[in-house]
Amino acid sequence: MLAWFVIVFFVIATGLTLGGLSTFMRGIPPIIVLCVLSFYFLLFTYIGMFVALVSLSWFGFHLFNTLIVICSFVFIIAMLRSYHPAFGYQLFYKPIAWILALLFFFMGLQWGSLGYGTFFTISMTFFFTVAVFVGILLYNSMLLWIKNAYVAAFIPLASFLLVTVIKLL
């Protein structure tokens, strides 16, 4: 039961973070980012879940947990490096897209190693999509209150860093 709670909490936190980052992108509407990220999440978590159910079920929960945390730290560093004050974040650069794919794949591997199947992956995709949408709304409303948009652009990454450290514990 605790593993399920940790997984759901991390999926929602990841969705909120990516929704927040999409509000600071310029040039791509957030609804397109929402659709692309949801499909990306479903595809790579399902592939990871399927691979784990077929062959890698003997790996432990904590190994995949560590790999997810490492990918999260690398994602945070890559996003910090891709930020441009005039253009915002660049979510769909190749290195960032590969890091996200790897992160989602490891999440699927973790779910498959715990024995969770297709219904769980589709449920987590729904939670992820709702979290991205809420993240878009939350950070858009935050932009109305915070005067310095450059500082506000780093709040989603700071919150994701906090959630990643909590997941590591």
Side-chain angles (χ1 to χ4, degrees):
M1 184 68 178
L2 180 64
W4 184 84
F5 177 73
V6 169
I7 289 171
V8 171
F9 178 70
F10 191 73
V11 165
I12 290 173
T14 305
L16 286 172
T17 299
L18 291 174
L21 293 175
S22 70
T23 61
F24 296 105
M25 293 174 59
R26 292 168 182 85
I28 301 176
I31 192 69
I32 293 174
V33 175
L34 172 75
C35 295
V36 169
L37 284 176
S38 297
F39 176 73
Y40 210 62
F41 182 82
L42 177 64
L43 177 70
F44 285 104
T45 54
Y46 191 80
I47 290 171
M49 181 267 315
F50 183 75
V51 167
L53 285 175
V54 171
S55 63
L56 296 175
S57 62
W58 45 274
F59 280 117
F61 175 79
H62 295 293
L63 173 70
F64 294 125
N65 206 18
T66 306
L67 291 173
I68 289 169
V69 167
I70 290 169
C71 278
S72 298
F73 285 138
V74 170
F75 174 72
I76 291 170
I77 292 168
M79 289 307 294
L80 286 173
R81 292 184 53 123
S82 77
Y83 181 73
H84 189 275
F87 301 120
Y89 288 107
Q90 307 299 318
L91 263 178
F92 299 115
Y93 277 160
K94 277 188 181 179
I96 294 173
W98 282 110
I99 293 168
L100 266 180
L102 202 58
L103 175 68
F104 295 156
F105 180 73
F106 286 143
M107 290 168 77
L109 283 175
Q110 184 181 40
W111 303 344
S113 70
L114 292 173
Y116 297 141
T118 303
F119 180 72
F120 184 79
T121 304
I122 293 172
S123 301
M124 289 300 106
T125 303
F126 174 74
F127 285 141
F128 178 78
T129 305
V130 169
V132 170
F133 183 72
V134 169
I136 290 170
L137 295 178
L138 176 73
Y139 288 105
N140 268 333
S141 65
M142 184 186 300
L143 281 175
L144 296 175
W145 296 101
I146 296 178
K147 303 295 183 211
N148 191 348
Y150 298 117
V151 173
F154 297 108
I155 292 174
L157 290 176
S159 62
F160 190 59
L161 178 66
L162 178 67
V163 169
T164 303
V165 169
I166 290 172
K167 184 171 177 65
L168 186 60
L169 301 175

